Every structure is written in C-alpha cells, then in structure tokens.
Amino acid sequence: EADIYQTPRYLVIGTGKKITLECSQTMGHDKMYWYQQDPGMELHLIHYSYGVNSTEKGDLSSESTVSRIRTEHFPLTLESARPSHTSQYLCASSERGDYNEQFFGPGTRLTVL
Amino acid sequence: AQSVTQLDSQVPVFEEAPVELRCNYSSSVSVYLFWYVQYPNQGLQLLLKYLSGSTLVKGINGFEAEFNKSQTSFHLRKPSVHISDTAEYFCAVSPMIKAAGNKLTFGGGTRVLVKP
C-alpha cells in the first residue's frame, strides 16, 4: 500500500544530541516537505524538495538541515538539539505538477530536555 | 505572500448538530484552497479542495465548503456532526503560480469538540 512513513513517532533526548528524523514515501512522489507544528498552532513549512538533490528552505527559519539522495527518502537532521527545537515535525509529499494534494505522514513529536 | 485566518480557535458542538468553521485568506494572487483534518496523534488528511469551477465543494465524511471570492472566504460546514468528527481542522491556501510549487500556507486551526 502506498503511504508515507515517519520514524520515530516520539523522541525524547537531551540537549546537544544530534538527531535525524526519518521520512519515507512509497508513492513515487517528486515533491517532499517538512513542516513544524507547535501544540495547538498552525503548521510552518521549514524545508522542501522538488526532487533528488534539490532542497530549499521554507518560510520558517530552522536550524535543521535536510537531504534528498533518493526520491523516496527525505530525512531531517538537527546537529545539536536544544529545548527550543521541541515541537512536532510533519513530513508530506506530492506529485509533480502545478497543484497536487499533499499527503502527510503521522508526525514525529520531539522533546528536547 | 499569503495569510490564512481561522476565526474560531475552538468550536464546541453537540452531536447531530450542524457546524461551520470559518476561514478567511489574504493573497495578492489567485489561490487554491484546502481544508485538512488532524485527528489526535495523527498527520493531516485532506477533507476537500477548491481548484476551480463550482464554488460549492463537497468532501469526505459529509463535509462541504463554499468559496466566496469577493469575501475571500472558504468556510467549512457539516449539517450533522458525529463524535468521530472531534479533531483539529486546518484551512490552507496555495498560490496559483508555478514558482510557488504547491507550497501551502496554513491557518491556526480550529479545534472541534463534539459532545454527546
């Protein structure tokens, strides 16, 4: 079944640790996105990619980085986590084209102590 | 740039009653419009979208929305809610220009709590 996966679903870590949030999709979509969502708040786009080796920063500045080496994989990395990074991170993907629906993963809830 | 305002942060409603969630947007270009639903501890799921054509759009789970260009609104309605409709609802827009590349701008969300 075509889907979009995120791991881990929940992560609690200490300050200064390096972390990678995984996102994979099996739909063959060219476009992928990372959103940050604080509790009870709107989603903000922090990174997006239109294909392999393409990455761009989103509307909200973020200290995280992303890579797109394979079409299906779009991991997000924080080199040194801080309490201000505590949030929910949602990954999404969509087909190529002027407009196509974005499909969302279940999210990773990150807590940095 | 675009902005989206959801006028109600929380909407309590009794089961089988109607509900309307309000959404207004601002944009210098024409936009596509969407409503997404987020159930607890889950990602977002598309309820419906307006791309062009009829201004009344029907979506999943009995929801519908009406696009009003003059009022720059896209309000979501359901005539009779169920307990299972308890969730967070997000309105979003995407500009109708190639350079925007499907990027979505979201409103702050409306939490719907359906009471028995």
Side-chain angles (χ1 to χ4, degrees):
Chain A
E1 180 181 324
D3 211 336
I4 181 163
Y5 306 93
Q6 289 187 245
T7 57
R9 291 291 313 276
Y10 303 92
L11 180 61
V12 180
I13 59 166
T15 297
K17 300 291 186 183
K18 177 180 179 178
I19 60 165
T20 297
L21 308 185
E22 302 287 349
C23 176
S24 295
Q25 49 96 5
T26 58
M27 296 174 280
H29 288 168
D30 288 319
K31 298 182 179 181
M32 296 189 75
Y33 313 81
W34 275 103
Y35 292 88
Q36 185 173 340
Q37 182 186 27
D38 291 327
M41 303 293 286
E42 67 232 72
L43 286 76
H44 291 286
L45 181 68
I46 52 174
H47 298 284
Y48 61 100
S49 167
Y50 290 162
V52 171
N53 294 325
S54 152
T55 61
E56 301 285 346
K57 289 193 177 294
D59 302 322
L60 181 68
S61 175
S62 174
E63 294 168 348
S64 58
T65 59
V66 293
S67 62
R68 189 90 183 275
I69 299 173
R70 304 197 316 265
T71 298
E72 63 272 20
H73 194 214
F74 191 41
L76 180 145
T77 298
L78 277 166
E79 290 292 334
S80 179
R82 297 205 300 270
S84 60
H85 296 140
T86 294
S87 190
Q88 172 153 262
Y89 294 85
L90 289 163
C91 180
S93 71
S94 69
E95 292 181 17
R96 188 185 306 178
D98 288 350
Y99 176 72
N100 285 293
E101 174 187 350
Q102 290 189 21
F103 292 84
F104 283 80
T108 294
R109 188 169 295 281
L110 173 65
T111 301
V112 184
L113 303 176
Chain B
Q2 292 73 45
S3 67
V4 179
T5 302
Q6 291 183 240
L7 297 164
D8 306 295
S9 59
Q10 291 192 63
V11 174
V13 57
F14 286 105
E15 193 173 18
E16 298 184 8
V19 70
E20 178 180 79
L21 309 184
R22 296 178 293 169
C23 173
N24 287 90
Y25 70 92
S26 172
S27 176
S28 57
V29 300
S30 295
V31 294
Y32 303 116
L33 299 118
F34 311 88
W35 276 98
Y36 281 85
V37 60
Q38 185 177 31
Y39 299 105
N41 299 316
Q42 294 186 29
L44 276 68
Q45 179 183 1
L46 183 68
L47 274 178
L48 49 79
K49 61 187 176 187
Y50 173 79
L51 303 183
S52 64
S54 172
T55 57
L56 183 62
V57 180
K58 293 191 182 299
I60 62 172
N61 301 340
F63 284 93
E64 63 180 31
E66 185 150 21
F67 170 51
N68 187 318
K69 188 172 183 178
S70 62
Q71 297 186 6
T72 61
S73 67
F74 191 53
H75 300 334
L76 180 72
R77 302 185 188 94
K78 185 169 182 177
S80 176
V81 296
H82 303 292
I83 294 289
S84 59
D85 292 322
T86 294
E88 186 98 23
Y89 293 79
F90 291 94
C91 182
V93 302
S94 178
M96 287 187 192
I97 51 176
K98 277 190 180 291
N102 286 15
K103 288 195 289 181
L104 290 170
T105 299
F106 285 89
T110 297
R111 187 173 298 275
V112 173
L113 176 59
V114 182
K115 303 176 182 179

